[in-house]
Amino acid sequence: FAAAIADGGVVEVGRAWYQHIPARILAAYQEGDSGRFDREMRLAFHLPGTRAGKLAWNFRSRPYGVTGYSAGLDAVAQYRLTGEVAARITTPLYVIDADGDQFFGGQGAELAAMVPGSTYARFTQAEGASYHCQPLARELTEQRMFDWMDEQIRSAAH
């Protein structure tokens, strides 16, 4: 999957997961050695100072309904969209990209470029609208989203 990440023609949930795993450990997963990967991850999360990382992994894995480190990566790997598929999207699409998004940083711009006719909405730290889902700028986010939806409804009515 490393080549897919590099070419920009794929957006995927797993990208943020892969970048935080040490290359030596991730290599075991990439080579298909899930047993070694799971062992190395268990050992890594027993090192001093890794408690927060382990809690974050467990929290982020929960929605996928899996246990085990390789099972977690297997689950998130299913959530990927190639440029070929994205180019076939015809439904109006509003793509948000916020400064400092810790999960999908930069992928909003990539997705918008892959989907013809999509609307790209950049949210910035200067606006107080940074991070995933712009938690400190919900009113701004909602206003822009509803304005966009109003435009879509007006366009469809004509």
Side-chain angles (χ1 to χ4, degrees), residues 38-112:
D38 287 347
R39 271 191 313 279
E40 298 247 0
M41 289 292 288
R42 272 193 306 277
L43 289 171
F45 278 134
H46 278 92
L47 294 173
T50 61
R51 183 173 188 276
K54 183 176 183 178
L55 292 173
W57 181 285
N58 292 340
F59 177 77
R60 291 183 64 202
S61 295
R62 192 174 313 137
Y64 299 98
V66 297
T67 57
Y69 300 108
S70 58
L73 289 189
D74 289 346
V76 299
Q78 295 177 48
Y79 295 89
R80 61 190 312 272
L81 180 67
T82 64
E84 179 183 332
V85 173
R88 297 193 321 241
I89 296 173
T90 58
T91 301
L93 183 65
Y94 187 72
V95 181
I96 293 175
D97 195 8
D99 285 350
D101 187 317
Q102 63 273 40
F103 303 115
F104 305 109
Q107 291 193 71
E110 293 174 39
L111 177 61

Side-chain angles (χ1 to χ4, degrees), residues 95-148:
V95 181
I96 293 175
D97 195 8
D99 285 350
D101 187 317
Q102 63 273 40
F103 303 115
F104 305 109
Q107 291 193 71
E110 293 174 39
L111 177 61
M114 291 166 41
V115 178
S118 64
T119 300
Y120 177 71
R122 183 82 184 138
F123 286 80
T124 68
Q125 185 172 358
E127 300 169 300
S130 54
Y131 305 115
H132 185 70
C133 292
Q134 308 78 244
L136 299 179
R138 295 309 310 154
E139 187 174 330
L140 175 64
T141 301
E142 291 162 8
Q143 185 63 55
R144 287 185 186 173
M145 288 172 58
F146 287 128
D147 287 350
W148 179 83

